[in-house]
Amino acid sequence: QVWEEYYRVFEEVYPDERKRPEYLIVMGNHDYYYVDEFGSPQDRREKFNAVFHKQATNEHKVVKGYHFINITFRDESCVYDQRDLDWLDAEIGKATADAPGQPVFVLGHPHAADTVYGSTTGWGVSSLNSVFRKYEEVVYFSGHSHYPLDDERSIWQGEYTAIGTSSLNYLEMEPGKDQGMHPDGSGDSATNAQALYMEVYDDRAEIERMDIVHNRKVKDENWVLQLPLTKDTFTYTADR
């Protein structure tokens, strides 16, 4: 499976376990496909956790003083169970209490509805907003839409910060474009794959948009989050 192959490469690149970077991995809707062949959603989660040596599907880690939280839904529907939303709310609350003014980085698969590019065309879920809107310190990274990072709407700041991650597999655009949903072969992961690279400093977080296939930036200008992260410092708003 892809899971095993990914972790095999991870171990190959970082053979010394003591020097491996921390990582948080969330499940996407595709990870739950073919349940008749590979078992129930619960079986899939247990297998996922075993392959990646995770203690739990949802995790909260502190890396160099910064809080990182990931949240996963329980089946391919992309609908979050209220138990997981309650857990997320409590963990963000702990993070903000522990490190006031610092960003809290949250990772999930679907976009929060009505935020970044792709979140209004069927790839966003509204339940996340009920939690995130309480915390202006939240920086939420999500994919699901596969929409490209070339579009500046892939970063959004309103009651909190949301950022689209695009995709390593294939790129997609919203319906109705003259070039179609997969223009110029963008549906081919061999020619199109994007990702984000972030560096966090005392006064800012800088995010590069990377073209993985061609080993270059998608755009020269980085996204910059001014710290401490408050609504007063938001620049990627609807008024930009």
Side-chain angles (χ1 to χ4, degrees), residues 146-193:
H146 293 235
Y147 283 13
L149 297 172
D150 308 60
D151 196 299
E152 296 300 329
R153 291 173 294 174
S154 294
I155 186 170
W156 171 94
Q157 290 182 307
E159 295 169 297
Y160 58 95
T161 301
I163 300 174
T165 62
S166 190
S167 172
L168 292 173
N169 191 10
Y170 61 87
L171 304 186
E172 187 170 303
M173 298 177 70
E174 72 269 31
K177 296 291 188 183
D178 290 342
Q179 304 92 336
M181 294 177 66
H182 303 111
D184 300 326
S186 62
D188 183 1
S189 59
T191 56
N192 289 277

Side-chain angles (χ1 to χ4, degrees), residues 114-146:
D114 302 317
T115 57
V116 298
Y117 181 42
S119 65
T120 61
T121 54
W123 304 114
V125 297
S126 59
S127 59
L128 291 170
N129 284 315
S130 65
V131 176
F132 292 153
R133 67 166 59 105
K134 303 177 185 178
Y135 305 101
E136 60 187 355
E137 302 94 338
V138 161
V139 180
Y140 178 56
F141 293 94
S142 61
H144 196 35
S145 67
H146 293 235

Side-chain angles (χ1 to χ4, degrees), residues 24-26 54-61 67-74 80-95 104-108 128 130-132 134-135 140:
L24 283 85
I25 301 178
V26 299
K54 290 161 56 74
Q55 298 301 312
T57 309
N58 296 332
E59 295 179 295
H60 181 173
K61 293 185 178 182
H67 289 260
F68 292 81
I69 302 170
N70 74 330
I71 180 152
T72 291
F73 36 77
R74 300 187 180 218
Y80 285 102
D81 188 283
Q82 187 60 47
R83 291 169 292 178
D84 296 314
L85 294 171
D86 291 342
W87 175 88
L88 177 64
D89 194 356
E91 295 304 307
I92 297 175
K94 294 175 185 176
V104 178
F105 301 108
V106 182
L107 296 81
L128 291 170
S130 65
V131 176
F132 292 153
K134 303 177 185 178
Y135 305 101
Y140 178 56

Side-chain angles (χ1 to χ4, degrees), residues 22 113 136 200 207:
E22 293 280 357
E136 60 187 355
V200 182
I207 302 167

Side-chain angles (χ1 to χ4, degrees), residues 4 6-16 20 53:
E4 284 91 347
Y6 178 93
Y7 197 75
R8 183 194 66 76
V9 173
F10 182 74
E11 289 183 310
E12 182 179 295
V13 174
Y14 299 102
D16 187 343
R20 288 177 191 164
H53 303 275

Side-chain angles (χ1 to χ4, degrees), residues 178-239:
D178 290 342
Q179 304 92 336
M181 294 177 66
H182 303 111
D184 300 326
S186 62
D188 183 1
S189 59
T191 56
N192 289 277
Q194 296 182 341
L196 300 174
Y197 175 77
M198 178 175 67
E199 292 186 329
V200 182
Y201 304 89
D202 290 339
D203 63 340
R204 70 194 187 283
E206 293 199 16
I207 302 167
E208 295 183 20
R209 290 168 278 179
M210 301 302 299
D211 176 342
I212 300 301
V213 174
H214 302 99
N215 193 28
R216 64 190 181 194
K217 287 186 176 184
V218 172
K219 288 189 175 182
D220 289 335
E221 183 180 357
N222 293 341
W223 290 329
V224 180
L225 307 180
Q226 300 297 330
L227 305 181
L229 196 59
T230 68
K231 293 177 185 177
D232 292 337
T233 66
F234 288 180
T235 57
Y236 301 100
T237 65
D239 298 328

